[in-house]
Amino acid sequence: MRATVMYGAGDVRVEDRPDPKPVHPTDAVVRTLAACVCGSDLWPYASMPATDTGRPMGHEFLGVVEETGAEVRGLGPGDLVVAPFTYSDNTCDYCAKGLHISCRHGGRYGLDGVDGGQGEAVRVPYADGTLVKLPVAADSALLPSLLALSDVMTTGHHGAVTARVGRGDTVLVVGDGAVGLCAVLAAARLGAERIVLAGRHEARTALGRDFGATDVVAERGEEGIARVRELTGGVDKVIEAVGTRAALDTALGAVLDGGTVSRLGVPQYEQGPIGPAVFMRNLTLTGGASPARAYIEELLPDVLDGTIAPGRVFDRTFPLDEAPAAYRAMADRRVLKALIRP
Amino acid sequence: MRATVMYGAGDVRVEDRPDPKPVHPTDAVVRTLAACVCGSDLWPYASMPATDTGRPMGHEFLGVVEETGAEVRGLGPGDLVVAPFTYSDNTCDYCAKGLHISCRHGGRYGLDGVDGGQGEAVRVPYADGTLVKLPVAADSALLPSLLALSDVMTTGHHGAVTARVGRGDTVLVVGDGAVGLCAVLAAARLGAERIVLAGRHEARTALGRDFGATDVVAERGEEGIARVRELTGGVDKVIEAVGTRAALDTALGAVLDGGTVSRLGVPQYEQGPIGPAVFMRNLTLTGGASPARAYIEELLPDVLDGTIAPGRVFDRTFPLDEAPAAYRAMADRRVLKALIRP
């Protein structure tokens, strides 16, 4: 099969790889219909040391089950399924708590002999626990929004859930990337009344307004904090969807005492400012990597009936062989989120 | 009047100060019946640079109202009252949310011309908003437990509340100081089923068992973490009642993915480990300086009817003139918490 492999910063290739087969009896092989590039793929694209072996890329995909191991019960060939961005058994203590990202048997695509999602097929471990069947046809116009459940929408939702967004809330979302925009959509879905989106890319903030942002703040740093405070008097809940220290500082500067900052962007720092100032202000720092699997069933009906259309974050489709161009376009911020069709 | 003043590390003096009078119409003057030394007083006792002017000490006291300003409505001379460890108007937006520690007009004792609590009398700003009347006589045996509501017990309770401790929970409390012991008491009061107390001072951990600790872990660092995991399989909720980086590291090491660490000890560090590891584990960092005023009415009935007796943390009483000895005894860990009687 053809699949996407990263060999180092800026070096993404599409090449021939062995066709996956079930290895364990709980595996399934999924023939990919749609995949995409994640904002988190751009961190190694910017900084990964060169290697000879390469790393299969992609952790967001949907497709059709092609073959199942002997112990797979709930799925069969021909089923259309979406994969959350990590696999999980859905039975361990963490999965039982809805924290599938910490599954005792879970793991990531592209590691440990498991294929990446940006290819023609994927061997999925713990298929029964991982994959969610989709009640639509393979040519459904909903596929982009269903694909968004694999990561970007369930991640935005995780930010809104962990920030405990509810009816009538005022929320700041820092970052106009696809996750930030989905966080806006998720906050609106949970009843937030006022949603301030901090971002300066006009096409993206326009989509953010469609998703429910009531205000857009283009200023950054101290100026941005001042603008949020001027607009809102300060906010109780912030979703930080970037991952840089600057974004965290904006979040901490704009939040009111007693408020919550939920992080969705993988931190690009090891140490952060959690000293006496944050302590005296009673700030809560929460969020993290989304347990996407836990949220798919909850969000699926809203995608199926059109209440939410997170697939709008995909603003360009690339054939699989052009995956390198998809990475380049996203890294240059010419494309918000690239959909890949094998 | 006589009052306690700190001039530098290890240099605490009791000296003559002007008798307080109401300055603003919302002030009251309280004649102190009982005060105490806080664990947080030991940080400046260890490190405060020498000064000529000194700083009035103490922020925990109860006493009898002696005189009120013209606008004080709810209090009059002769009322027995307890003071939360910061003053607050009880009317601003933060107070309305129960976050009195961030009161728009609030402040601390011993600063800005306001007396410290370790003296014969205190001018209390925003007396109506700050002071809580106590329905007992001035010679009540409950005074130590009522005094504990000014800080140590309401702080322990804040840890249990912000860690969202509830019925059946397993909780780790790091630190066997008076705040840690009160956190044990608060967690038990909120229904925690298993409470592991990390501490190695036997008299203190014995009191911790009386307060509800089911297990005591004397080991520190990696050994302590391993012991907590061995006993419990890991805990969802940790109350960190020390404030050092070592205590934070213990908390982060013992907590399960998706769990919460609530900090009660003022951090003795500016930066902390909130990078990708904490993010991937979905840990929540919460807690902070307690809004004591918000909790006094809630805890008062349990003190009055003897359900909780947080005053047991006071293991020695000093007359006011011996306040320097009280500091020394606490710094040497010979005394858990010193009560001071003017």
Side-chain angles (χ1 to χ4, degrees):
Chain A
M1 67 162 178
R2 304 283 289 165
T4 306
V5 181
M6 186 179 290
Y7 283 86
D11 184 2
V12 171
R13 308 175 200 170
V14 178
E15 54 189 35
D16 291 318
R17 310 255 311 165
D19 281 321
K21 304 295 288 176
V23 173
H24 303 291
T26 50
D27 288 349
V29 170
V30 174
R31 176 71 40 183
T32 309
L33 284 177
C36 50
V37 181
C38 183
S40 69
D41 293 333
L42 299 181
W43 297 118
Y45 189 72
S47 64
M48 178 176 160
T51 66
D52 290 335
T53 49
R55 179 176 144 196
M57 295 298 293
H59 50 259
E60 302 158 278
F61 59 99
L62 58 70
V64 176
V65 175
E66 191 171 71
E67 191 178 353
T68 55
E71 290 176 18
V72 175
R73 300 273 172 264
L75 299 166
D79 285 340
L80 185 70
V81 292
V82 64
F85 71 91
T86 61
Y87 54 86
S88 51
D89 61 20
N90 204 25
T91 58
C92 77
D93 56 335
Y94 279 130
C95 288
K97 287 185 204 179
L99 197 68
H100 297 70
I101 188 79
S102 295
C103 174
R104 303 282 178 184
H105 299 110
R108 304 204 204 181
Y109 299 102
L111 295 174
D112 306 317
V114 175
D115 311 286
Q118 295 160 3
E120 288 179 314
V122 182
R123 176 173 70 84
V124 178
Y126 299 97
D128 274 329
T130 302
L131 299 168
V132 179
K133 275 201 250 189
L134 299 172
V136 299
D139 61 352
S140 167
L142 291 175
L143 287 202
S145 285
L146 293 166
L147 173 62
L149 295 178
S150 71
D151 185 346
V152 63
M153 181 62 206
T154 37
T155 291
H157 180 65
H158 186 54
V161 168
T162 52
R164 297 180 188 264
V165 172
R167 199 149 300 282
D169 280 348
T170 295
V171 181
L172 168 67
V173 175
V174 180
D176 59 8
V179 167
L181 299 181
C182 285
V184 168
L185 187 56
R189 181 180 169 278
L190 291 175
E193 192 172 288
R194 189 156 189 196
I195 303 173
V196 181
L197 173 60
R200 58 199 313 164
H201 189 297
E202 286 185 14
R204 298 176 184 194
T205 56
L207 180 55
R209 286 190 190 272
D210 279 4
F211 276 177
T214 51
D215 304 85
V216 170
V217 168
E219 296 86 347
R220 287 185 177 179
E222 289 303 320
E223 250 185 299
I225 292 168
R227 182 79 185 118
V228 173
R229 289 193 165 257
E230 184 185 310
L231 281 168
T232 62
V235 296
D236 283 321
K237 294 163 184 186
V238 182
I239 302 173
E240 191 280 274
V242 181
T244 59
R245 259 305 295 272
L248 178 64
D249 290 342
T250 297
L252 295 173
V255 73
L256 289 168
D257 290 11
T260 298
V261 173
S262 175
R263 296 185 299 170
L264 296 181
V266 183
Q268 301 304 303
Y269 48 85
E270 289 292 337
Q271 301 284 316
I274 54 167
V278 157
F279 177 88
M280 291 308 300
R281 295 180 61 208
N282 273 280
L283 301 184
T284 293
L285 191 66
T286 187
S290 174
R293 179 65 184 80
Y295 299 131
I296 293 179
E297 278 105 340
E298 179 184 347
L299 297 172
L300 184 56
D302 282 15
V303 171
L304 293 173
D305 72 10
T307 303
I308 57 172
R312 293 183 65 194
V313 297
F314 297 110
D315 54 347
R316 191 156 153 210
T317 299
F318 294 81
L320 175 57
D321 277 334
E322 290 177 24
Y327 274 81
R328 208 153 40 238
M330 276 181 63
D332 295 347
R333 285 176 70 87
R334 285 180 284 113
V335 164
L336 170 55
K337 192 165 175 76
L339 195 143
I340 293 179
R341 292 273 193 179
Chain B
M1 67 163 177
R2 303 284 290 167
T4 306
V5 180
M6 186 181 289
Y7 283 86
D11 183 2
V12 170
R13 308 176 199 168
V14 177
E15 53 188 36
D16 290 318
R17 311 253 316 161
D19 281 320
K21 303 295 288 178
V23 173
H24 304 292
T26 51
D27 289 348
V29 170
V30 173
R31 177 69 42 181
T32 309
L33 283 178
C36 51
V37 181
C38 184
S40 69
D41 293 333
L42 298 182
W43 297 117
Y45 188 72
S47 64
M48 180 176 158
T51 66
D52 289 336
T53 49
R55 180 176 143 196
M57 294 300 291
H59 51 257
E60 301 158 279
F61 60 99
L62 59 67
V64 176
V65 175
E66 191 171 71
E67 190 178 353
T68 57
E71 291 175 18
V72 175
R73 298 274 172 265
L75 300 167
D79 285 340
L80 184 70
V81 292
V82 63
F85 71 89
T86 61
Y87 55 86
S88 52
D89 62 19
N90 205 22
T91 57
C92 76
D93 55 336
Y94 279 127
C95 288
K97 287 185 205 179
L99 198 67
H100 297 71
I101 188 79
S102 293
C103 174
R104 303 282 180 185
H105 298 110
R108 303 203 203 180
Y109 299 102
L111 295 174
D112 307 318
V114 175
D115 309 285
Q118 294 160 3
E120 288 180 314
V122 182
R123 175 174 69 85
V124 178
Y126 298 98
D128 274 329
T130 302
L131 299 168
V132 179
K133 274 200 249 190
L134 298 173
V136 299
D139 61 353
S140 166
L142 292 174
L143 287 202
S145 285
L146 294 165
L147 173 62
L149 295 177
S150 72
D151 185 345
V152 65
M153 182 62 207
T154 39
T155 291
H157 179 67
H158 186 55
V161 168
T162 53
R164 297 180 186 267
V165 172
R167 199 148 300 283
D169 280 348
T170 296
V171 180
L172 169 66
V173 175
V174 180
D176 60 9
V179 167
L181 299 181
C182 285
V184 168
L185 187 57
R189 181 180 168 276
L190 291 175
E193 192 171 289
R194 190 157 187 195
I195 302 172
V196 181
L197 173 61
R200 61 198 312 164
H201 190 296
E202 286 184 17
R204 298 177 185 193
T205 57
L207 180 55
R209 287 190 191 271
D210 278 2
F211 277 177
T214 52
D215 304 85
V216 169
V217 169
E219 296 86 347
R220 287 185 176 179
E222 289 304 320
E223 250 186 298
I225 292 168
R227 183 78 185 120
V228 173
R229 288 191 166 260
E230 185 186 308
L231 281 167
T232 62
V235 295
D236 283 321
K237 295 165 184 184
V238 182
I239 302 173
E240 189 282 275
V242 181
T244 59
R245 260 305 295 274
L248 179 65
D249 290 343
T250 297
L252 294 173
V255 73
L256 289 167
D257 291 10
T260 298
V261 173
S262 176
R263 296 185 298 171
L264 295 181
V266 182
Q268 301 304 304
Y269 47 85
E270 289 292 337
Q271 303 282 317
I274 54 168
V278 158
F279 177 88
M280 292 308 299
R281 295 180 61 208
N282 272 282
L283 300 185
T284 293
L285 191 66
T286 188
S290 173
R293 179 64 184 80
Y295 298 131
I296 293 179
E297 277 104 339
E298 180 185 347
L299 297 173
L300 184 55
D302 282 15
V303 171
L304 293 174
D305 72 10
T307 303
I308 57 173
R312 292 183 64 194
V313 296
F314 297 109
D315 54 347
R316 189 155 156 210
T317 299
F318 294 80
L320 176 58
D321 277 333
E322 290 177 26
Y327 274 80
R328 206 153 44 237
M330 277 181 63
D332 295 346
R333 286 175 69 85
R334 283 180 284 115
V335 164
L336 170 55
K337 192 165 174 79
L339 195 143
I340 293 178
R341 293 273 193 181

